[in-house]
Amino acid sequence: MPTTQVSPPPSRPVTLITGASDGIGAALAHRLAGRHALVLVARRADKLQAVANAIREAHDTPVVTVVADVTVRSQMDDAVDTALAEFSRLDVLVNNVGRGITRLPSALTDEDLDDMMRVNVKSALYGMQAVLPHFRLVGRGHVVNISSMLGRIPSVVPRAAYSAAKHFLDSLTINFRDEVQAEHPGIQFSLVSPGVVHTEFGNNALHGGVDSRQLPMAQTADEVAAVIAQVIEDRRPDVYSRTGMAARVREYYAGLGQDP
């Protein structure tokens, strides 16, 4: 059952964050606290409640927690319904659920690919489809999908299926934006693409993996959360998490492909 405090004043935006029990999702919740009403969604009830309690102790912020597996469409639908029932509005959805993999492309199984698509793509698709009717009704809203630099530059071979899934997410987000904004220009779909982040991502990868916190140039979850919070404010469509990433992507694609 969701837990909540009093409803927010009408001027306070309501933001739903998936994967909010740890890492980037939890850091973003702390970043937005005090300015946004929050709907925090994750599978781990104890860790999710701990994040919510810490926010309530530090900020005058309405917080609702929803224990759900957002790779299941009906549970994502229920999370959105809970947000609307509690606050009568929903302004921002941050699709933050994701999982890596450690397996060479020649060894990938059907189950590997299914898992990468279910967690990294379907969860975001379910979220976008769940909030869209409300956003269309009010004529405004914002979806922020958390992607990865590996979705643009597939540079880590054992992460091949993850890179492919994030590339799928990038394309899906852009096409979703083009479709919806043809009639509803006030609805935005943004991508934020971090590089390596100092979280449990590597340890939680399918088939195990290198601890992301031990890799060089890893950003903190709060540094990435600061970028996401800024994107929520300025509604830019496509942003990387570190200066210089855009130049790297341009250089990579400049070297690909030739005309006949």
Side-chain angles (χ1 to χ4, degrees):
M1 295 293 292
T3 60
T4 185
Q5 292 185 327
V6 297
S7 296
S11 61
R12 188 182 311 209
V14 177
T15 296
L16 188 157
I17 305 170
T18 68
S21 62
D22 202 358
I24 294 171
L28 179 62
H30 282 280
R31 276 267 171 184
L32 298 181
R35 296 179 291 118
H36 291 233
L38 298 172
V39 181
L40 307 182
V41 183
R43 294 178 301 168
R44 296 177 293 181
D46 55 343
K47 298 199 72 171
L48 185 63
Q49 195 59 53
V51 172
N53 290 342
I55 289 173
R56 291 182 183 124
E57 290 176 3
H59 301 277
D60 178 21
T61 293
V63 183
V64 172
T65 60
V66 181
V67 178
D69 180 352
V70 298
T71 68
V72 179
R73 183 187 288 275
S74 61
Q75 294 189 36
M76 185 70 240
D77 290 341
D78 288 345
V80 170
D81 288 345
T82 296
L84 292 173
E86 292 288 341
F87 297 119
S88 300
R89 65 184 289 179
L90 180 57
D91 301 276
V92 182
L93 165 66
V94 181
N95 284 312
N96 174 60
V97 170
R99 189 184 190 190
I101 187 173
T102 305
R103 177 159 279 180
L104 295 175
S106 59
L108 288 169
T109 67
D110 290 349
E111 291 75 17
D112 293 332
L113 295 178
D114 289 346
D115 188 84
M116 289 298 99
M117 291 297 294
R118 179 177 58 85
V119 177
N120 296 299
V121 179
K122 286 187 174 183
S123 65
L125 174 65
Y126 298 159
M128 290 190 287
Q129 291 179 338
V131 299
L132 187 56
H134 175 70
F135 285 177
R136 280 175 165 158
L137 180 65
V138 300
R140 183 175 174 82
H142 192 187
V143 174
V144 182
N145 288 335
I146 309 306
S147 186
S148 169
M149 271 290 283
L150 290 181
R152 295 284 166 84
I153 304 177
S155 57
V156 181
V157 175
R159 293 274 193 258
Y162 174 78
S163 298
K166 288 299 190 180
H167 185 75
F168 193 128
L169 176 63
D170 291 353
S171 298
L172 183 66
T173 304
I174 292 166
N175 289 151
F176 227 108
R177 183 194 306 138
D178 290 345
E179 176 197 350
V180 173
Q181 289 191 345
E183 294 186 0
H184 299 279
I187 303 174
Q188 178 64 296
F189 294 82
S190 297
L191 283 164
V192 176
S193 300
V196 179
V197 186
H198 193 281
T199 67
E200 293 283 344
F201 177 84
N203 292 336
N204 293 333
L206 189 63
H207 309 307
V210 176
D211 189 338
S212 302
R213 295 166 298 187
Q214 304 303 317
L215 295 174
M217 298 296 291
Q219 288 183 281
T220 67
D222 188 61
E223 287 172 332
V224 177
V227 174
I228 300 168
Q230 184 59 47
V231 168
I232 291 172
E233 292 296 319
D234 60 34
R235 294 168 62 90
R236 284 178 294 169
D238 200 324
V239 179
Y240 299 105
S241 68
R242 190 194 292 274
T243 300
M245 285 180 167
R248 283 181 55 201
V249 173
R250 287 193 296 268
E251 181 180 2
Y252 176 78
Y253 280 98
L256 289 183
Q258 294 180 339
D259 290 333

